[in-house]
Amino acid sequence: MYKDKFSEWGFYKNLPREKAQWMLNKAEQRKDQLPEPKETVFVCRGREWTEEVLRNKVKGAKFEGDLDEATPQDTTYMTPRPLNVPSPGSARTPKEPSIPAERWTPTPFSGNTQPRFLRLTWNGQTLEALKALRNSAHELDREGDFQNAEGKLREVLAGFENLLSPTHEDTNAVAYELATLYAGHDRMNDADLVLNWMGENHVERWGPNHRKTQTHFLRVVDLFNSWSRSNDAMTFLYRVLDALDKHDSVGTRRNNTSNFDSPLVAQAHVGPPHIAAQQPGPEYVASAVAGTDDPARVDYQLGLARSRTAAFDEAAEPLLLSLIEQCDKYPERLNSQILQARCALLDLYQRLGDDERVASGLDQAKEVLEKILPSTKKTKHFLEACIKVAELHVKNDYCQSAEDMFQTIGCEVEDTFGIDHENTIELLICIGKIFQRQNQWDNARPWFERALAASMTRNGLQSTMTKRLEAALENQRYSVTALMHEELESIVRSSSLDTPWRG
């Protein structure tokens, strides 16, 4: 009975002989392809199958099926990279650049000719069903079932790509989860393919200079650092900067990707091979941002410095000091970057164990915040940077200074957005969670109470957010995962396709 069911569901431990024969035939066809013969590697049910393995399985049997039949839905194939060429998402500079012949997609049947705005289901799945499948994938991963977790996440990613868009926040979130899943199982090439796919989508949709594209590139840097690939992260940012310079110099249109060699679009681009070995000094940073008030340019330089910091490299200090000096020239335009650079400098001092410079840096960051906060334009991005400065004071037991800053920031948040705006609620909760993470519930409670009052006014007494905050005050802990099942269903029903899913 179990075998019958496994067959019905399409589950199998070993590759069926008929499918192996089809794969081997496809590999032979691609070898004879003109003018460019290609090697082939297959992926079926999350497992990779090489031609050598397939030959051992088929053992000389001839293929008896339709040689031109369509690729099975659970199977995809690609041209393997040479061993000395890194994956497209990697920042390593290849000796012999090569672009994969087949573009990676979440599933072999991701594409759909039906107009996207008419789709209500994809592959028989509604949006709600895909979100439930996503939760199931997370549970499988926690249980150690990598293959099924991978398959479900790829299916969810393909569904979100088609029902939402390739660059929707939900789609991005699942793609980052899939890349992280691969990285956690030491499949960095697969992780990079996912990031490459995302980079292509962002450049095609928004162009290289759009903030959403830049945010994705910086997220890639964060992921590289978290995967102990700080050198890749640093070199990757060099390549982004160089590609942006090239893009600007040829005057390409914002949404034209044909001349933009994005680090996640093409393997062969940017700069000389020795660029990865260059050690950026203060002069380099000063020249890179001198005379510009472009936040994106400074953000990338900050990313370079953070990559150095993650590697415990003291060379990050002059870079950050140069950035701070440059940012101080444009306090209105670069207000967030001024604070972010000082936070990065504090992070470096903490990693190096330099308590004296940590104490001095905290005082200087507080002075800068108090100086620019009253006079600069308040955006959510800037206020988040202010909160980060105060958070560092909490982490270093400068609690009174932190509380003073948080009170000032809280008032600015309410004045800027209104006492019951969604940004106000989010930022108040953010402050409360900072104290909660430090096991300081007495300091956290007032912020959750203010957020609760704002939520009652904006969302009503029966809203999920209001109930969540009430539960936090009752349990002395704010937790999203504490929602009941019916509350999750309520979120799904009430959320629109453009509202980021936070499940």
Side-chain angles (χ1 to χ4, degrees):
M1 290 173 61
Y2 281 118
K3 289 181 179 179
D4 289 342
K5 275 298 180 185
F6 288 152
S7 176
E8 176 184 335
W9 295 332
F11 292 165
Y12 45 80
K13 180 178 180 181
N14 298 312
L15 189 67
R17 186 181 184 86
E18 297 76 31
K19 185 163 290 187
Q21 289 177 325
W22 180 92
M23 289 180 177
L24 191 56
N25 177 71
K26 177 60 71 174
E28 291 291 342
Q29 284 184 332
R30 283 166 56 81
K31 270 189 174 181
D32 296 333
Q33 182 174 316
L34 295 176
E36 184 182 0
K38 297 175 181 178
E39 297 294 327
T40 307
V41 63
F42 297 86
V43 177
C44 182
R45 295 287 183 178
R47 181 176 174 183
E48 192 171 279
W49 300 87
T50 64
E51 186 175 346
E52 179 181 358
V53 173
L54 292 169
R55 287 192 183 281
N56 290 335
K57 183 169 186 59
V58 175
K59 295 180 180 178
K62 295 182 179 180
F63 182 74
E64 299 177 353
D66 182 0
L67 299 181
D68 295 321
E69 67 178 344
T71 304
Q73 287 191 344
D74 60 351
T75 305
T76 186
Y77 58 88
M78 66 195 73
T79 303
R81 294 182 203 88
L83 293 178
N84 64 333
V85 178
S87 59
S90 172
R92 305 178 186 91
T93 303
K95 294 180 181 178
E96 298 179 2
S98 174
I99 302 175
E102 307 291 340
R103 184 186 182 187
W104 185 92
T105 56
T107 63
F109 45 102
S110 293
N112 195 321
T113 58
Q114 181 183 0
R116 182 170 284 114
F117 63 88
L118 293 179
R119 297 178 191 163
L120 298 177
T121 63
W122 178 85
N123 199 29
Q125 301 270 33
T126 65
L127 193 61
E128 292 185 22
L130 288 168
K131 289 174 180 177
L133 194 64
R134 179 183 179 186
N135 292 334
S136 175
H138 295 164
E139 184 63 31
L140 288 169
D141 183 37
R142 286 191 290 269
E143 294 173 355
D145 189 349
F146 166 76
Q147 286 197 353
N148 282 323
E150 176 203 14
K152 289 181 183 297
L153 274 183
R154 290 187 68 158
E155 185 174 354
V156 172
L157 183 57
F160 280 12
E161 175 193 16
N162 284 272
L163 293 181
L164 300 174
S165 78
T167 56
H168 190 275
E169 288 190 37
D170 289 2
T171 310
N172 293 339
V174 175
Y176 290 132
E177 290 169 8
L178 179 60
T180 301
L181 178 69
Y182 282 135
H185 290 267
D186 200 27
R187 288 175 55 175
M188 288 298 178
N189 284 349
D190 290 314
D192 290 350
L193 283 174
V194 178
L195 298 178
N196 185 77
W197 175 79
M198 296 180 71
E200 290 177 341
N201 289 335
H202 278 75
V203 173
E204 289 171 3
R205 171 72 184 274
W206 306 108
N209 290 318
H210 195 280
R211 185 167 188 83
K212 291 186 178 181
T213 305
Q214 295 162 1
T215 298
H216 165 69
F217 287 156
L218 293 174
R219 178 65 184 275
V220 171
V221 172
D222 288 338
L223 289 173
F224 279 168
N225 282 326
S226 69
W227 299 340
S228 300
R229 293 169 60 181
S230 56
N231 287 336
D232 285 352
M234 179 186 66
T235 310
F236 173 80
L237 277 167
Y238 276 121
R239 298 174 74 172
V240 172
L241 287 167
D242 192 82
L244 285 171
D245 287 338
K246 181 178 179 181
H247 178 262
D248 291 342
S249 66
V250 298
T252 48
R253 292 169 52 190
R254 179 178 181 179
N255 62 345
N256 183 358
T257 64
S258 60
N259 292 317
F260 179 70
D261 294 324
S262 164
L264 296 182
V265 171
Q267 189 68 283
H269 75 285
V270 254
H274 65 271
I275 193 171
Q278 293 179 351
Q279 298 292 326
E283 299 81 6
Y284 171 84
V285 176
S287 63
V289 297
T292 181
D293 60 352
D294 183 1
R297 299 282 174 170
V298 179
D299 282 342
Y300 282 126
Q301 296 297 334
L302 275 170
L304 286 171
R306 290 193 187 103
S307 297
R308 289 290 189 193
T309 297
F312 293 81
D313 188 346
E314 293 187 32
E317 182 183 21
L319 305 184
L320 288 166
L321 291 174
S322 294
L323 273 174
I324 290 171
E325 181 180 352
Q326 291 297 321
C327 291
D328 284 342
K329 298 177 183 178
Y330 307 97
E332 283 292 328
R333 178 76 168 163
L334 301 175
N335 50 20
S336 299
Q337 286 72 21
I338 291 172
L339 298 178
Q340 290 173 16
R342 291 194 174 275
C343 288
L345 189 61
L346 282 166
D347 182 30
L348 175 65
Y349 292 155
Q350 287 179 320
R351 289 172 183 265
L352 298 177
D354 194 331
D355 294 338
E356 183 176 343
R357 286 195 288 183
V358 168
S360 174
L362 286 169
D363 290 340
Q364 293 174 10
K366 183 174 184 289
E367 290 176 6
V368 171
L369 185 149
E370 292 174 341
K371 178 181 178 181
I372 66 176
L373 183 57
S375 58
T376 193
K377 181 181 178 181
K378 315 301 187 300
T379 64
K380 184 182 179 185
H381 190 53
F382 169 68
L383 291 168
E384 286 172 338
C386 292
I387 289 174
K388 179 62 177 178
V389 173
E391 179 182 8
L392 289 174
H393 282 72
V394 174
K395 290 181 177 180
N396 287 277
D397 295 327
Y398 286 73
C399 295
Q400 187 56 55
S401 294
E403 182 61 32
D404 292 342
M405 282 187 283
F406 278 136
Q407 290 296 339
T408 302
I409 295 168
C411 292
E412 292 288 353
V413 167
E414 292 172 338
D415 289 344
T416 300
F417 302 113
I419 60 172
D420 60 351
H421 192 275
E422 59 183 13
N423 287 343
T424 301
I425 299 171
E426 182 178 339
L427 293 174
L428 292 176
I429 291 174
C430 179
I431 296 173
K433 288 169 67 177
I434 289 171
F435 284 116
Q436 177 177 292
R437 286 193 292 269
Q438 299 299 314
N439 297 315
Q440 298 180 25
W441 178 255
D442 288 343
N443 291 327
R445 181 191 295 110
W447 297 101
F448 290 128
E449 289 174 343
R450 287 169 71 170
L452 174 60
S455 180
M456 286 178 172
T457 303
R458 178 178 180 80
N459 302 316
L461 300 179
Q462 301 303 316
S463 72
T464 298
M465 178 60 74
T466 298
K467 290 182 178 180
R468 186 186 301 162
L469 288 163
E470 287 175 338
L473 292 170
E474 181 178 349
N475 300 324
Q476 296 192 6
R477 180 170 183 78
Y478 179 85
S479 174
V480 175
T481 58
L483 288 172
M484 299 299 290
H485 180 71
E486 55 268 21
E487 292 175 328
L488 288 171
E489 290 182 339
S490 175
I491 293 176
V492 173
R493 287 193 298 270
S494 61
S495 62
S496 67
L497 295 185
D498 293 327
T499 302
W501 172 249
R502 306 294 184 186

